[in-house]
Amino acid sequence: MSQPDIGGIILEKVRNGLYLKVSAIHVATGREVCAVGPAAEPKAVERLAIAKLKRAMAAG
């Protein structure tokens, strides 16, 4: 099942030692979600944050 495009997303990354926190903010609504993972895998943490935001937007 493919997910629809939700529009603009802002990503904010903060590294704390071995961990990376990525916040994904939906531009139109201001809804924000966060994902934390290994700093060695920044793209994976970004994908996780975006997927989490898409799920939150679909839930309403």
Side-chain angles (χ1 to χ4, degrees):
M1 181 166 116
S2 78
Q3 297 199 8
D5 184 26
I6 61 170
I9 299 173
I10 297 171
L11 295 176
E12 178 184 66
K13 302 173 200 167
V14 178
R15 184 175 176 162
N16 187 1
L18 297 175
Y19 298 97
L20 180 68
K21 176 183 174 185
V22 177
S23 298
I25 303 111
H26 186 247
V27 174
T29 63
R31 180 171 276 189
E32 179 177 351
V33 298
C34 299
V36 178
E41 297 290 337
K43 292 293 182 189
V45 183
E46 285 179 23
R47 286 192 305 270
L48 180 61
I50 292 168
K52 193 173 177 181
L53 179 61
K54 286 181 178 180
R55 281 193 307 274
M57 297 297 293

